[in-house]
Amino acid sequence: MNLEKILSDLENRNPGQDEFLQAVKEVLETIEDVVKENPKYEAANIIERIIEPDRIIKFKVQWVDDKGKVQVNRAFRVQFNNAIGPYKGGCRFHPSVTEGGLKFLGFEQIFKNSLTTLPMGGAKGGSDFDPKGKSQAEIMRFCHAFMAELYKYIGPDTDIPAGDIGVGGREIGYMYGMYKKLVGEHTGVFTGKGRNWGGSLIRPEATGFGAVFFAEEMLKTRGEGIAGKTACVSGFGNVSWGAITKLNQLGAKVVTISGPDGYVYDPDGISGEKIEYLLELRASNQDIVKPYTYEFPNAQFFEGKRPWEVKCDMAFPCAIQNELNAEDAQNLVDNGVLAVSEGANMPCTPEAMNIFLKNKILYGPGKAANAGGVATSGLEQTQNAMKLNWQKEEVEEKLHDIMKNIHEACVKYGKEEDGFVNYVKGSNVAGFIKVADAMIDQGVI
Ligand code: NDP
């Protein structure tokens, strides 16, 4: 495989889509050896086929705000690859959403979904709509308008969207409601649904729980555990909340959260009622984490800074892509970090990732470490298909097993001669082989 040519062609065909190019480069560099050793992949031209989405649906969303003014947003659904199952991936509502950004997330989703061992293809969607500062009625009207177009392209055996940044249970409720009205069917076309209309217990917590379970497995390889360790977490959204909850349950002390305005350091640990308060802070629909320090005055706020300068044993970046750069990574390494587990998608820049790998830090990339969210979505689909609801313990146990299996697959394909496990390589190779083999089995279609 001529990696340089593939990447330069990709750049020419996708100008300005830097995050997509970054994600593809990372995957291709780590699977290069497997492709060379297995001529069948080159013979079927798998690489050029896997980096091109099956289709991108791009549409206009028109809705009326509370002042009676008509607003227009742009929306997308990137259906990237359905070789191993129906398209599956979240929807993001955030002003930064672009076609290129969703291509990056959809591409990552192919490998992440493959790693879960469940039959799910890769997709991602969203809109540049900003839910911040909008009223409940405005959010409902936007979600309804969004679904009035998207419903044509999704279905329980075709494409099953879910939540992501800016899309939680409330938004899924509005979108699902409109889908049901238009199609006339109560089917499992969304995951992350409300508990009393088809949702699964543990789904809201699953991504954060999974990132902690993955960190636990990584630590075990060095004879370590979670109890007694200090953790830095970024973000204060859904994934951060899940990770902080599980870290507390397993006996760790969480000392940071962050928002676009800066980070909060709480030397007493973020536990108990403070975790409940995180939900309140998020629901307040503001863009800031600082109010935490008004509620809990022992905590300090650091404006415009990121939490990675705080000494910790474990780091959980759970906010957004490229939120941890080389300087942050070096700070963490200098301060003796043992494990980094990505709750967010691609939160570490390539330079940061290389620093972790060079220093043999236990580094769990998002496509493995945060796969617990989509895995539990898969479990929600199974419950919908069986028309059954599993107990909380049953879902959590299955999630835990899936995270252990993902860790095992990473070790299988990522263990180096000196015993160090390169989880980036391991997750990419394990995810790739399954999808590539399915593409070959199904022929050129
Ligand atoms: P949320 O919208 O619930 O949370 C995102 C959090 O990040 C918010 O607290 C947000 O603050 C904060 N944030 C945004 N920008 C910055 C910034 N520049 N610096 C620091 N904090 C920032 O989304 P999720 O928790 O669902 O998603 C977080 C990450 O996890 C994303 O990368 C997502 O793709 C990934 N993920 C989510 C899954 C899920 O199941 N939800 C599954 C797998 C991955 P504010 O609200 O003020 O903007």
Side-chain angles (χ1 to χ4, degrees):
M1 139 169 118
N2 186 343
L3 188 58
E4 233 166 77
K5 182 167 184 320
I6 291 173
L7 289 174
S8 83
D9 284 352
L10 191 75
E11 202 168 342
N12 290 336
R13 297 177 72 178
N14 302 278
Q17 300 188 348
D18 296 343
E19 289 164 343
F20 176 53
L21 299 171
Q22 179 185 333
V24 173
K25 185 167 186 274
E26 182 217 285
V27 170
L28 296 195
E29 279 174 354
T30 51
I31 60 170
E32 201 177 358
D33 289 347
V34 175
V35 174
K36 278 188 186 144
E37 286 156 17
N38 294 277
K40 62 179 178 177
Y41 297 134
E42 197 131 15
N45 204 7
I46 290 295
I47 297 303
E48 285 182 43
R49 288 164 61 195
I50 211 169
I51 59 179
E52 190 67 28
D54 288 352
R55 70 190 62 77
I56 300 176
I57 300 138
K58 183 171 172 181
F59 55 101
K60 174 172 72 173
V61 184
Q62 313 180 99
W63 57 283
V64 181
D65 70 17
D66 286 347
K67 295 191 184 98
K69 196 166 172 250
V70 179
Q71 300 285 346
V72 182
N73 284 100
R74 207 170 247 194
F76 310 87
R77 184 75 183 162
V78 180
Q79 295 181 332
F80 221 116
N81 186 299
N82 67 351
I84 61 167
Y87 301 108
K88 177 97 196 85
C91 282
R92 178 175 289 193
F93 292 168
H94 194 271
S96 66
V97 163
T98 58
E99 186 174 321
L102 294 177
K103 276 166 72 180
F104 132 60
L105 290 162
F107 181 72
E108 289 280 296
Q109 199 80 41
I110 305 171
F111 304 95
K112 182 190 302 189
N113 292 1
S114 166
L115 275 174
T116 65
T117 68
L118 302 174
M120 301 184 288
K124 200 81 188 187
S127 169
D128 58 6
F129 171 74
D130 187 0
K132 291 275 141 54
K134 302 288 188 302
S135 71
Q136 180 107 338
E138 287 176 325
I139 288 176
M140 182 183 76
R141 288 196 291 273
F142 174 80
C143 290
H144 284 171
F146 177 84
M147 192 44 60
E149 182 65 24
L150 188 65
Y151 87 97
K152 299 169 195 164
Y153 309 100
I154 60 175
D157 296 315
T158 318
D159 183 354
I160 308 103
D164 192 72
I165 292 180
V167 179
R170 175 182 58 178
E171 292 74 19
I172 287 173
Y174 294 144
M175 290 192 271
Y176 185 74
M178 182 51 102
Y179 177 86
K180 183 167 66 73
K181 187 176 174 79
L182 293 170
V183 177
E185 283 173 8
H186 213 310
T187 54
V189 74
F190 260 92
T191 55
K193 297 188 289 298
R195 177 72 189 121
N196 51 3
W197 42 278
S200 174
L201 286 166
I202 301 288
R203 176 61 189 91
E205 296 92 336
T207 308
F209 275 24
V212 176
F213 290 146
F214 196 82
E216 191 180 29
E217 292 306 306
M218 291 198 296
L219 286 167
K220 274 190 205 161
T221 65
R222 301 223 174 136
E224 299 271 0
I226 300 266
K229 301 263 182 328
T230 302
C232 282
V233 173
S234 64
F236 64 108
N238 175 261
V239 179
S240 317
W241 164 74
I244 294 170
T245 305
K246 184 48 75 183
L247 282 165
N248 272 278
Q249 286 173 9
L250 297 180
K253 181 176 177 183
V254 180
V255 290
T256 66
I257 48 170
S258 70
D261 54 333
Y263 79 89
V264 165
Y265 170 66
D266 186 339
D268 303 332
I270 301 169
S271 60
E273 56 161 348
K274 296 173 179 173
I275 302 179
E276 297 305 312
Y277 173 74
L278 290 185
L279 293 176
E280 230 176 89
L281 189 63
R282 182 166 177 246
S284 71
N285 229 1
Q286 300 177 62
D287 233 356
I288 48 175
V289 77
K290 191 177 177 184
Y292 181 98
T293 56
Y294 310 149
E295 206 71 21
F296 306 104
N298 240 5
Q300 288 168 276
F301 176 66
F302 294 87
E303 190 168 352
K305 293 199 150 192
R306 297 192 282 221
W308 317 122
E309 59 188 21
V310 174
K311 184 173 167 51
C312 62
D313 305 307
M314 304 177 290
F316 291 86
C318 294
I320 201 150
Q321 60 266 25
N322 293 326
E323 55 157 316
L324 195 162
N325 63 22
E327 193 189 331
D328 299 321
Q330 197 55 55
N331 278 339
L332 285 166
V333 171
D334 293 345
N335 281 328
V337 77
L338 285 172
V340 180
S341 185
E342 294 186 340
N345 284 312
M346 212 166 75
C348 297
T349 62
E351 298 76 26
M353 184 179 84
N354 287 333
I355 289 175
F356 292 138
L357 294 178
K358 199 177 97 202
N359 288 280
K360 312 265 176 199
I361 303 295
L362 298 166
Y363 167 64
K367 68 170 72 70
N370 73 36
V374 73
T376 309
S377 279
L379 299 177
E380 181 174 330
Q381 286 175 253
T382 308
Q383 292 169 77
N384 292 159
M386 298 192 313
K387 303 201 188 308
L388 274 179
N389 294 315
W390 290 330
Q391 296 301 310
K392 201 169 152 197
E393 293 71 24
E394 194 172 352
V395 181
E396 187 169 336
E397 197 185 317
K398 287 186 164 60
L399 165 66
H400 202 161
D401 283 345
I402 290 173
M403 296 314 296
K404 283 183 186 166
N405 290 338
I406 294 176
H407 181 269
E408 237 171 69
C410 290
V411 172
K412 178 172 174 193
Y413 291 106
K415 200 166 195 167
E416 296 180 346
E417 272 170 17
D418 63 358
F420 173 67
V421 182
N422 182 333
Y423 290 93
V424 178
K425 182 174 181 199
S427 58
N428 286 337
V429 172
F432 169 78
I433 288 176
K434 193 171 151 194
V435 176
D437 288 351
M439 288 169 75
I440 291 174
D441 290 347
Q442 292 165 22
V444 181
I445 43 172

